[in-house]
Amino acid sequence: MTDVQRRSKKRKRGGRSRRKKKEECTPAAAAANNASVSVSVSVSSSTCASSVVRSASKSSSSFLDKMKAKLSGGYFRMINEKLYTCSGDEALNYFKEDPALFNVYHSGYQEQMSHWPVQPNDIIIKWINDRSPSLVVVDFGCGDARLSRSVKNKVFSFDLVSNDPAVIACDMSNTPLDTSSVDVAVFCLSLMGTNFPNYLQEANRVLKHRGWLLIAEVKSRFDPNTGGADPNEFVKSTCELGFASMTQDFSNKMFLLFYFQKKEKQRPKEPQIKWPELKPCLYKRR
Ligand code: SAH
């Protein structure tokens, strides 16, 4: 091996290790910032080289786009599973430690939702818009708070992280709302935590008598044939909490809708309720 060859080999090795260092980053940073994995191709000063580089960079960029999509999909599924298998306060701390994970979760969530023929949020938005704009609404687990932007009503929007002044960051089992202060409580695909009955207790606390509780949940979570909860058990437990079941809409392919109204007469002491377990909704790799 000549001296020049030896030097060039050494340079290449050094280059590789430098690149490796650059790629070290947290999952959140990688996906949230749409992690630009940079590929540098060094070219000597020849003109035909530029067309080679163009086609190389075209195919490498589509390859990288695919890899980026795969990575974000993987992080989304990881965060999603975490949210379905921990309590609300654990979820709050999880995002406090790394708020960028929230954006990763929501880009994955939007991607999944884009495959649903009907969005449950749209049905709820229409339900609200068909009623008086004077009704005060609370959106528990509001995500990007689209609901609040789509109705004339006063909406309190809660989620674990707030990237928007309209959203209040908190664990929704413990909101800053006054007791008996709202007319409509919405949970749209947000009964995620293992302590979901606490969220419904909080809704019961903040709702006025005869106030509405609207719940949209993923259908598979309520399929007893595949380990999901029996929807009748869920309705029974919610009624024991202090609600009357008004309507159920199971016509949609992807989600169920439950409409409850808070009973005028509440039990003086909260009863011991045996809630069914809601199966986590784990999204498939696409
Ligand atoms: N309702 C919105 C977002 C659904 S995704 C929509 O239909 O588009 C579920 C949302 O619930 C997520 O944004 C998640 O952060 C939120 N969430 C889950 N557990 C929560 C909790 N304990 N407190 C507040 N928000 C919660």
Side-chain angles (χ1 to χ4, degrees):
M1 195 185 282
T2 66
D3 237 23
V4 175
Q5 280 170 328
R6 247 195 305 277
R7 265 204 302 277
S8 134
K9 203 170 174 195
K10 204 169 165 192
R11 253 204 312 275
K12 272 188 202 154
R13 251 190 267 125
R16 256 205 300 277
S17 71
R18 264 200 304 281
R19 257 201 308 278
K20 202 157 195 176
K21 225 175 196 157
K22 202 171 167 191
E23 284 167 24
E24 276 170 18
C25 51
T26 65
N33 304 329
N34 216 358
S36 46
V37 183
S38 58
V39 173
S40 51
V41 184
S42 59
V43 198
S44 62
S45 60
S46 98
T47 39
C48 80
S50 72
S51 68
V52 173
V53 171
R54 256 201 307 278
S55 73
S57 77
K58 215 172 172 186
S59 67
S60 63
S61 78
S62 73
F63 170 74
L64 286 172
D65 285 344
K66 273 189 204 146
M67 291 312 287
K68 272 192 257 173
K70 266 198 171 162
L71 266 179
S72 341
Y75 293 137
F76 162 72
R77 284 191 296 278
M78 182 191 82
I79 302 163
N80 183 61
E81 182 165 353
K82 169 77 186 166
L83 295 180
Y84 276 114
T85 51
C86 74
S87 63
D89 57 345
E90 277 178 80
L92 188 68
N93 288 331
Y94 180 67
F95 284 132
K96 261 189 194 154
E97 276 171 26
D98 197 346
L101 290 175
F102 190 73
N103 297 341
V104 179
Y105 175 75
H106 273 283
S107 12
Y109 174 79
Q110 297 302 342
E111 212 284 313
Q112 290 289 334
M113 282 295 123
S114 68
H115 299 282
W116 287 28
V118 180
Q119 306 285 316
N121 225 345
D122 286 336
I123 297 188
I124 291 171
I125 288 166
K126 180 171 182 321
W127 187 95
I128 296 171
N129 280 330
D130 286 346
R131 281 163 182 79
S132 166
S134 67
L135 297 178
V136 178
V137 178
V138 47
D139 188 4
F140 286 98
C142 62
D144 64 2
R146 189 165 69 82
L147 188 151
S148 73
R149 292 192 300 277
S150 312
V151 300
K152 293 199 185 87
N153 308 55
K154 163 84 192 147
V155 180
F156 293 100
S157 303
F158 296 107
D159 210 301
L160 294 163
V161 172
S162 168
N163 293 322
D164 172 339
V167 177
I168 300 165
C170 70
D171 168 18
M172 62 192 174
S173 63
N174 185 18
T175 70
L177 292 177
D178 288 339
T179 299
S180 304
S181 60
V182 304
D183 302 287
V184 183
V186 173
F187 291 90
C188 186
L189 309 185
S190 57
L191 290 180
M192 301 181 88
T194 49
N195 62 327
F196 75 88
N198 297 141
Y199 309 152
L200 298 176
Q201 278 159 8
E202 179 67 353
N204 193 31
R205 181 186 73 78
V206 302
L207 274 170
K208 296 175 189 166
H209 288 151
R210 319 247 322 257
W212 286 92
L213 168 66
L214 311 187
I215 301 174
E217 260 311 327
V218 181
K219 202 165 206 165
S220 62
R221 304 189 76 194
F222 288 95
D223 181 359
N225 299 322
T226 57
D230 179 343
N232 296 323
E233 293 279 311
F234 176 74
V235 170
K236 191 168 155 258
S237 302
T238 311
C239 291
E240 278 175 44
L241 180 63
F243 291 91
S245 169
M246 306 311 286
T247 333
Q248 292 157 25
D249 178 357
F250 294 178
S251 64
N252 202 280
K253 207 174 131 212
M254 308 302 279
F255 56 87
L256 306 184
L257 277 160
F258 301 93
Y259 300 79
F260 297 95
Q261 224 173 347
K262 182 170 168 176
K263 285 183 202 149
E264 199 85 54
K265 273 201 177 150
Q266 295 281 310
R267 299 193 198 183
K269 206 172 151 254
E270 219 157 78
Q272 281 293 329
I273 301 171
K274 197 174 164 293
W275 289 92
E277 221 176 277
L278 294 188
K279 192 174 89 165
C281 164
L282 304 179
Y283 293 94
K284 286 196 193 98
R285 197 183 287 216
R286 284 184 190 275

